[in-house]
Amino acid sequence: MACTSCSTSDVGAPKGCKNNGTCGTDSCNKLTVFDWLSNMTLPGGQAPFDCVEIRFKNGRKEFYRNTEKLTLSIGDIVATEASPGHDVGIVTLTGELVKVQMKKKQVNHEGEVPKIYRKASQKDIDIWSNSRDKEEPMKVRAREMAIRLQLQMKISDIEFQGDGSKATFYYTAEDRVDFRQLIKEFAGAFSTRIEMKQVGFRQEAARLGGIGSCGRELCCSTWLTDFRSVNTSAARYQQLSLNPQKLAGQCGKLKCCLNYELDTYMDALKDIPDMETKLSTEKGDAICQKIDIFGRLMSFAYIGNFGQWHVLKVEQVQEIMAQNKQKIKVSGLEDYAIEVEKIAVEKTFQNAMGQDSLTRFDQPKKSNNKKPNKNRKPQPQNQEAGQNQKSKINPNQNQNKPNSNGPKIRNEKNNPNI
């Protein structure tokens, strides 16, 4: 039942999901946890854990206590406690693994946890589905009202409660916004209880989801649960160009994946001199231009001749630096430079897909499958061949016979009566 409102299909559920709540598309797989304890039985006498994890719209998950001892499995739709009324969600995790997730989210399972009322009836599901259908047109109207009131905010999403008694408006804003007049207009236009909730730009991207520049779904909407601070120094250590268009994600902030490989780069840079390294030689001072971190190579250029680089190993740079500390200048970088072999890339095209040229439709192909005309007499290949053929048949025919057309033409020209 989870896929009836899936955004990947306008008409019902996507192909192959069978409408069972675990299709793996859009919000169904956001921040999901594989239940690797599902096939294990509990020790004798131990009661199953009484809390379950329930997912709501756009991957929002909460923990609820199963006080009624209901037999629940992943994909069941249940009615849960809310304030006011009740909410409708989908069970995503049961058993002992819920305790691990609650500890990870810092939720005390021994304290007060909201409870599950019952399994959702068909009436509950119909009200929930009708409320979800109202969200998109309501979001359009809400944005128009906010623009008319000239509020510096963006309404990113609307989430109805399962019973349709309350609507939560999620918005993002740079500064504090006075939306008291906006709430009055919302309540008058939509005739429901209104709740405003501000989220950050990263939380907005995590709720809405999307595809990153890598071609995969956003990390924050699939598996990333905490948002660590990302600085431009992470890009500098990895020697990435400080281009905000390439370093920023869909949230407008620096990409979270800049921190993934940062520790590896930091470990590799421990014994490598920094970019501010300056070497003194008899030919002049040289400044570092580039560092190949994993190749452990450094490129230097003399001051005043930055067009010519000299590639040195890290050990050789450290040796020159040790001599410079003793106020000893080396003769030149040419004595230490190494030649880096460039890998020749063979520029050949391989038709792996079996496709023809892209310009194959520019000019029409000439058809050679013309049917021969049976009634047409065969013609000689050229005029000389035809003349030779006639001369072979009767070579003296044209020599003895006078030209009958010649005198007639001359007589017509000389006769004035014609």
Side-chain angles (χ1 to χ4, degrees):
M1 299 300 295
C3 296
T4 55
S5 58
C6 185
S7 64
T8 58
S9 177
D10 296 330
V11 286
K15 281 187 176 181
C17 77
K18 298 181 181 179
N19 213 17
N20 56 12
T22 55
C23 66
T25 62
D26 197 57
S27 61
C28 299
N29 66 339
K30 288 184 179 179
L31 304 177
T32 53
V33 178
F34 178 72
D35 191 2
W36 50 276
L37 298 176
S38 59
N39 297 328
M40 300 180 66
T41 58
L42 294 173
Q46 181 177 352
F49 190 59
D50 60 347
C51 291
V52 296
E53 183 187 66
I54 297 178
R55 177 181 61 80
F56 299 94
K57 181 185 177 183
N58 286 343
R60 181 175 67 88
K61 294 184 178 181
E62 302 290 342
F63 299 99
Y64 292 86
R65 194 179 302 278
N66 187 9
T67 57
E68 302 296 330
K69 307 297 181 182
L70 301 173
T71 303
L72 300 176
S73 59
I74 296 176
D76 291 341
I77 303 177
V78 293
T80 62
E81 180 182 356
S83 177
H86 69 273
D87 204 350
V88 177
I90 303 166
V91 178
T92 56
L93 197 62
T94 59
E96 294 296 320
L97 202 58
V98 181
K99 186 184 296 184
V100 180
Q101 288 296 107
M102 295 180 73
K103 183 178 179 181
K104 181 180 179 182
K105 301 290 182 60
Q106 297 181 357
V107 179
N108 185 12
H109 65 276
E110 296 179 354
E112 294 184 1
V113 180
K115 61 182 179 180
I116 298 175
Y117 288 147
R118 62 187 181 276
K119 285 189 176 181
S121 61
Q122 187 61 41
K123 183 179 179 180
D124 295 331
I125 296 174
D126 292 339
I127 296 174
W128 175 50
S129 180
N130 293 332
S131 300
R132 291 289 297 270
D133 294 338
K134 299 178 184 177
E135 292 174 354
E136 195 62 30
M138 184 182 293
K139 182 171 64 176
V140 176
R141 292 185 59 191
R143 288 178 175 177
E144 292 176 353
M145 294 179 184
I147 293 173
R148 189 178 69 253
L149 295 176
Q150 297 181 357
L151 298 177
Q152 300 299 323
M153 59 183 294
K154 175 191 174 184
I155 299 175
S156 59
D157 195 17
I158 299 176
E159 182 179 355
F160 259 101
Q161 196 168 281
D163 56 356
S165 62
K166 184 178 72 172
T168 303
F169 288 73
Y170 294 92
Y171 72 95
T172 57
E174 294 286 350
D175 301 322
R176 188 172 180 179
V177 181
D178 185 8
F179 46 75
R180 289 176 293 182
Q181 181 63 28
L182 183 65
I183 293 178
K184 293 180 182 179
E185 294 195 9
F186 282 174
F190 304 134
S191 301
T192 186
R193 183 185 180 94
I194 303 298
E195 180 180 350
M196 304 294 293
K197 185 174 291 187
Q198 184 176 3
V199 294
F201 293 99
R202 289 186 172 180
Q203 286 78 11
E204 178 190 16
R207 281 185 57 83
L208 301 180
I211 304 297
S213 58
C214 58
R216 304 183 64 179
E217 292 187 56
L218 299 180
C219 299
C220 55
S221 63
T222 52
W223 62 271
L224 190 63
T225 57
D226 56 338
F227 297 98
R228 298 182 181 180
S229 61
V230 185
N231 301 322
T232 55
S233 58
R236 290 192 180 97
Y237 282 121
Q238 300 178 51
Q239 296 187 357
L240 300 175
S241 61
L242 300 180
N243 188 351
Q245 295 181 353
K246 293 184 178 180
L247 298 181
Q250 291 194 0
C251 57
K253 306 296 182 180
L254 292 176
K255 293 180 181 178
C256 298
C257 55
L258 291 175
N259 287 338
Y260 295 168
E261 299 178 356
L262 182 60
D263 295 337
T264 305
Y265 279 87
M266 295 296 293
D267 292 339
L269 286 169
K270 283 183 178 179
D271 57 342
I272 297 179
D274 55 10
M275 286 289 295
E276 304 298 329
T277 302
K278 188 176 181 180
L279 302 180
S280 297
T281 65
E282 295 179 356
K283 295 183 178 181
D285 296 338
I287 300 176
C288 181
Q289 302 294 321
K290 179 184 176 182
I291 299 177
D292 186 356
I293 299 176
F294 298 105
R296 297 181 62 82
L297 299 175
M298 300 181 68
S299 300
F300 286 85
Y302 290 111
I303 297 177
N305 188 14
F306 293 104
Q308 185 177 3
W309 290 8
H310 303 279
V311 181
L312 282 73
K313 294 182 178 181
V314 173
E315 292 78 9
Q316 296 173 341
V317 175
Q318 293 173 350
E319 180 182 350
I320 297 174
M321 291 175 62
Q323 295 181 11
N324 290 337
K325 286 183 180 181
Q326 299 176 3
K327 297 183 179 180
I328 300 174
K329 293 184 178 181
V330 297
S331 59
L333 298 179
E334 292 80 2
D335 300 337
Y336 299 89
I338 61 174
E339 294 184 1
V340 180
E341 297 181 359
K342 295 183 179 180
I343 301 175
V345 179
E346 185 179 358
K347 298 180 181 179
T348 57
F349 172 74
Q350 295 181 357
N351 194 358
M353 299 297 295
Q355 297 176 348
D356 296 329
S357 174
L358 295 177
T359 60
R360 61 186 184 275
F361 296 115
D362 293 347
Q363 296 179 356
K365 295 182 179 180
K366 295 181 179 179
S367 178
N368 296 325
N369 298 326
K370 292 183 179 180
K371 295 182 179 180
N373 190 357
K374 296 181 180 180
N375 299 325
R376 186 178 179 182
K377 295 182 180 180
Q379 298 291 333
Q381 294 181 358
N382 49 38
Q383 188 176 0
E384 295 180 355
Q387 292 177 357
N388 295 333
Q389 186 176 3
K390 292 179 181 180
S391 61
K392 288 180 181 179
I393 295 172
N394 192 356
N396 299 322
Q397 183 178 358
N398 295 330
Q399 297 178 1
N400 300 327
K401 187 175 180 179
N403 189 357
S404 59
N405 294 330
K408 289 183 179 180
I409 295 173
R410 288 194 298 269
N411 294 333
E412 290 175 355
K413 290 182 180 180
N414 298 326
N415 193 353
N417 297 325
I418 296 177

